[in-house]
Amino acid sequence: MKSILENRPALAKEVQKVAEVAGYLWQKGWAERNGGNITINITEFVDDEIKAMKPISGINSIGMVLPHLKGCYFFCKGTNKRMRDLARWPMENGSVIRILDDCASYVIIADNPVQPTSELPSHLGMHNYLIGKGSTYKAAMHTHPIELIAMSHHRPFLKKDVLTKLLWSMIPETKAFCPLGLGIVPYGLPSSLELANATIKVLADYDVVLWEKHGVCAVGQDIMDAFDQVDVLSKSAQIYINARNMGFEPEGMSEEQMHEMTVAFHLPK
Ligand code: 13P
Ligand code: ZN
């Protein structure tokens, strides 16, 4: 059977980036078993031939109405599929879905009838939010970064902006590349609509969202960009934990140094 990627180099390149990032997530130790998920909005690559493709699944409900996604197409990691497998065989461990005209359901159109990730409501909710605000971001990622999850088990870190300020102060680049910081979503049942709705709310004010005792969600221009956001925050978390492991509380950059950074890099707050 012909793959949807055949003779579509631009689309194949985006899926290849997903595969590359899936490999990074596995190497980082952030993707145990089927942990984490990736979706990318591929609507810009859709031609008449793709539009005419017949569904290879029944109609599935998303569980929410997402008005900006009417007729959009996404490549999604499959539920229960491993990142390390997605890295090598993206079209066997993910699939392309079409959002139907009711904006509340989808069908799978290619290459294989792989059921999309169980976190689809959060992912599609994020894409719907991005399109709604006129963003050109096309990628959404959820992953399980060890240090950031560990920090989310400490109640004082979950207070508004405590973690953001701590992580920013570990190394100057964190604030430069993650200028809105890390928002906190209180613990919610994985794959629930409540978790999805809370995520979209917090994403309005932050670059990356931390799901208490579970993981993070990030968005970006492409999947590399979304990965970088989490990688930068995770690096800061590791520096903090390394310092604590050496037996001291790290000093962190001073208020003045942070302010100097904010001005020099024209950062928002
Ligand atoms: P899926 O295998 O359904 O993508 O779920 C993984 C996960 O991390 C759920 O939060
Ligand atoms: Zn998860």
Side-chain angles (χ1 to χ4, degrees), residues 32 34-37 118-119 142-144 190 211 214-216:
E32 73 291 347
N34 60 310
N37 16 79
S118 60
E119 301 289 4
H142 159 61
T143 187
H144 298 170
W211 286 351
H214 180 164
V216 298

Coordinates of all heavy atoms in Angstrom, one line a residue, residues 32 34-37 118-119 142-144 190 211 214-216, ligand 2:
E32 N 9.1 6.1 29.1 CA 9.0 4.7 29.5 C 7.8 4.1 28.8 O 6.8 4.8 28.6 CB 8.9 4.6 31.0 CG 7.5 5.0 31.6 CD 7.2 6.5 31.5 OE1 8.1 7.3 31.2 OE2 6.1 6.9 31.7
N34 N 4.8 3.3 26.8 CA 4.1 4.2 25.8 C 4.1 5.6 26.2 O 3.3 6.4 25.7 CB 2.7 3.7 25.6 CG 1.9 3.7 26.8 OD1 2.4 3.2 27.9 ND2 0.7 4.3 26.8
G35 N 4.8 6.0 27.3 CA 4.7 7.3 27.9 C 4.9 8.5 26.9 O 5.8 8.4 26.1
G36 N 4.1 9.4 27.0 CA 4.1 10.6 26.2 C 3.4 10.5 24.8 O 3.1 9.4 24.4
N37 N 3.2 11.6 24.2 CA 2.5 11.7 22.9 C 2.9 12.9 22.1 O 3.2 13.9 22.7 CB 1.0 11.5 23.1 CG 0.5 11.8 24.5 OD1 0.4 12.9 24.8 ND2 0.3 10.7 25.2
S118 N -4.4 8.6 23.7 CA -5.5 8.8 24.7 C -5.5 10.2 25.2 O -6.5 10.6 25.7 CB -5.3 7.8 25.9 OG -4.0 8.1 26.5
E119 N -4.4 11.0 25.0 CA -4.4 12.4 25.4 C -4.9 13.3 24.2 O -4.6 14.5 24.2 CB -3.0 12.8 25.9 CG -2.5 12.0 27.0 CD -3.2 12.3 28.4 OE1 -4.2 13.1 28.4 OE2 -2.7 11.7 29.4
H142 N 3.5 15.9 24.7 CA 3.3 15.6 26.1 C 4.4 14.6 26.4 O 4.6 13.6 25.7 CB 1.9 15.1 26.4 CG 1.9 14.3 27.7 ND1 2.2 14.8 28.9 CD2 1.6 13.0 27.9 CE1 2.1 13.9 29.9 NE2 1.7 12.8 29.3
T143 N 5.2 14.8 27.5 CA 6.2 13.9 27.8 C 6.4 13.8 29.4 O 5.8 14.5 30.1 CB 7.6 14.2 27.1 OG1 8.5 13.2 27.3 CG2 8.1 15.6 27.6
H144 N 7.2 12.8 29.8 CA 7.4 12.5 31.3 C 8.8 12.8 31.7 O 9.6 11.9 32.0 CB 7.0 11.0 31.5 CG 5.6 10.6 31.2 ND1 5.2 9.3 31.2 CD2 4.5 11.3 30.9 CE1 3.9 9.2 30.9 NE2 3.5 10.5 30.7
P190 N -5.3 11.1 33.9 CA -4.7 11.1 32.5 C -5.8 10.9 31.5 O -6.8 10.1 31.7 CB -3.8 9.9 32.5 CG -3.4 9.7 34.0 CD -4.6 10.2 34.8
W211 N 1.9 19.0 34.4 CA 0.8 18.3 35.0 C 1.4 17.7 36.3 O 2.3 16.8 36.2 CB 0.4 17.1 34.0 CG -0.4 17.6 32.8 CD1 -0.9 18.8 32.6 CD2 -0.8 16.7 31.7 NE1 -1.6 18.8 31.4 CE2 -1.5 17.5 30.8 CE3 -0.6 15.4 31.4 CZ2 -2.1 17.0 29.6 CZ3 -1.1 14.9 30.2 CH2 -1.8 15.7 29.3
H214 N 2.7 14.0 36.9 CA 2.5 13.2 35.6 C 3.5 13.6 34.5 O 4.2 12.7 34.0 CB 1.1 13.4 35.2 CG 0.7 12.7 33.9 ND1 -0.6 12.5 33.5 CD2 1.5 12.1 32.9 CE1 -0.6 11.8 32.3 NE2 0.7 11.6 32.0
G215 N 3.6 14.9 34.2 CA 4.5 15.2 33.0 C 4.3 16.7 32.6 O 3.8 17.5 33.4
V216 N 4.7 16.9 31.4 CA 4.6 18.3 30.9 C 3.9 18.3 29.5 O 3.9 17.3 28.8 CB 5.9 19.0 30.7 CG1 6.6 19.2 32.1 CG2 6.8 18.3 29.7
Ligands
ZN2 ZN 1.5 10.9 30.2

